[in-house]
């Protein structure tokens, strides 16, 4: 069985390209992330096809944020699509509404703490309380867990501190910003290797460009899987979650 700790972000322009990419990668990857940018390009149809025809797990990265009633309705609608993970912003009222909307469906609600593209000046502009970014991220993760989030999205550099929270017991940590050995960092500033992210408590790692921009996406994915396998012999969670 393919290790589902690797999630590949399908950040290509449209659903057709994404499907071709998934077919090229084949059994080397069993879990895909579909983002907001793909929504108008057939993202939900793509999710359905990857799940039904190819048996892949699906992470829909929507980062929903609105009043509770609207989030609940949106998640109730999305929950009809047989998705595995869905992101919302980590504000407790949003997380609670998302859990309501998911109802009894086996859809994991993952909370975004603070977007990694923001710095302290952006938080000041948004009138977010003073404090170190990392402390705020950890506090927001704790509150999201208390509100019922199945997991959080976190940079690999925050994974260990979040994993240490008592509220994180049994919850998922999913980390983007991961770069396999020797890969280009791109615009990711706070990166870690797959092995490091997993050692720090990540249940899943999200990797995009090092796979889909590679001339050999299948080989790139296989190399990451090999890195995960070497790193995670003792804490493999294949088939769980
Ligand atoms: O290409 P790369 O591996 O950097 O892609 C990472 C994926 O994870 C992208 O889809 C990106 O939007 C997403 N992401 C991220 N950092 C976050 C949240 C999401 O890179 N904090």
């Amino acid at each position: 069985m393919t290790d589902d700790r690797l999630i590949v972000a399908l950040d290509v322009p449209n659903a057709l390209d994404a499907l071709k990419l998934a077919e090229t990668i084949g059994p080397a990857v069993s879990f895909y992330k579909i983002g907001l940018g793909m929504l108008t390009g057939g993202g939900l149809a793509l999710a359905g096809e990857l799940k039904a025809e190819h048996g892949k797990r699906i992470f829909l990265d929507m980062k929903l944020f609105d009043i509770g009633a609207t989030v609940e309705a949106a998640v109730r609608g999305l929950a009809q699509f047989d998705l595995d993970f869905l992101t919302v912003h980590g504000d407790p009222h949003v997380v609670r509404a998302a859990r309501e909307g998911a109802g009894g469906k086996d859809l994991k609600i993952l909370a975004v703490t603070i977007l990694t593209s923001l710095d302290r000046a952006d938080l000041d502009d948004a009138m977010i309380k003073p404090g170190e970014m990392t402390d705020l991220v950890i506090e927001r993760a704790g509150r999201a867990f208390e509100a019922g989030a199945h997991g959080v999205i976190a940079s690999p550099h925050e994974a260990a501190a979040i994993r240490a929270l008592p509220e994180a017991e049994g919850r998922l940590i999913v980390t983007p910003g991961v770069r396999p050995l020797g890969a280009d960092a791109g615009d990711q500033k706070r990166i870690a290797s797959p092995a490091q992210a997993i050692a720090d408590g990540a249940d899943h790692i999200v990797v995009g460009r090092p796979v889909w921009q590679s001339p050999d996406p299948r080989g790139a994915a296989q190399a990451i899987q090999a890195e995960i396998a070497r790193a995670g012999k003792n804490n493999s969670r294949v088939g769980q979650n």
Side-chain angles (χ1 to χ4, degrees):
M1 187 198 282
T2 307
D3 193 324
D4 72 356
R5 286 178 294 179
L6 171 61
I7 301 177
V8 169
L10 291 171
D11 295 329
V12 292
N14 60 62
L16 210 57
D17 288 353
L19 204 55
K20 276 195 211 133
L21 179 67
E23 281 166 359
T24 303
I25 293 171
V29 171
S30 63
F31 211 155
Y32 284 105
K33 181 170 92 72
I34 298 173
L36 200 50
M38 183 75 83
L39 198 61
T40 51
L44 285 171
L46 171 67
E49 175 139 5
L50 285 175
K51 169 70 60 113
E53 307 295 327
H54 300 267
K56 305 300 179 188
R57 301 187 75 199
I58 304 294
F59 169 3
L60 194 68
D61 190 11
M62 292 287 111
K63 300 188 180 70
L64 298 175
F65 179 84
D66 210 315
I67 62 168
T70 303
V71 171
E72 186 180 332
V75 175
R76 184 167 297 118
L78 289 169
Q80 310 305 315
F81 285 85
D82 198 12
L83 308 167
D84 295 282
F85 291 177
L86 173 69
T87 46
V88 301
H89 279 267
D91 304 55
H93 80 275
V94 175
V95 173
R96 279 194 294 272
R99 287 296 309 266
E100 277 299 316
K105 290 268 164 57
D106 189 18
L107 169 63
K108 305 276 190 254
I109 301 298
L110 304 183
V112 174
T113 54
I114 296 176
L115 295 171
T116 45
S117 54
L118 303 182
D119 60 19
R120 186 59 249 184
D122 295 314
L123 299 189
D124 290 343
D125 284 347
M127 297 189 292
I128 306 285
K129 74 172 188 180
E132 284 290 322
M133 196 82 153
T134 312
D135 296 337
L136 296 179
V137 165
I138 294 163
E139 194 177 336
R140 266 177 74 81
R143 289 181 186 211
F145 289 140
E146 279 169 8
H150 295 104
V152 293
I153 308 296
S155 118
H157 296 264
E158 286 137 9
I162 293 173
R163 183 47 77 212
L165 289 172
E167 304 93 309
E169 174 84 40
R171 310 296 177 98
L172 298 169
I173 298 177
V174 178
T175 58
V178 172
R179 285 293 172 269
L181 299 171
D184 188 352
D187 56 5
Q188 296 281 11
K189 295 192 177 72
R190 304 171 67 219
I191 56 170
S193 70
Q196 189 59 50
I198 284 167
D200 285 344
D203 298 282
H204 297 273
I205 59 170
V206 178
V207 184
R209 285 161 290 184
V211 175
W212 66 261
Q213 283 187 344
S214 164
D216 175 16
R218 180 194 291 234
Q222 285 168 334
I224 299 170
Q225 292 287 22
E227 223 179 305
I228 292 173
R230 278 196 303 275
K233 282 211 173 70
N234 300 326
N235 60 348
S236 175
R237 297 172 196 233
V238 177
Q240 286 187 17
N241 309 324

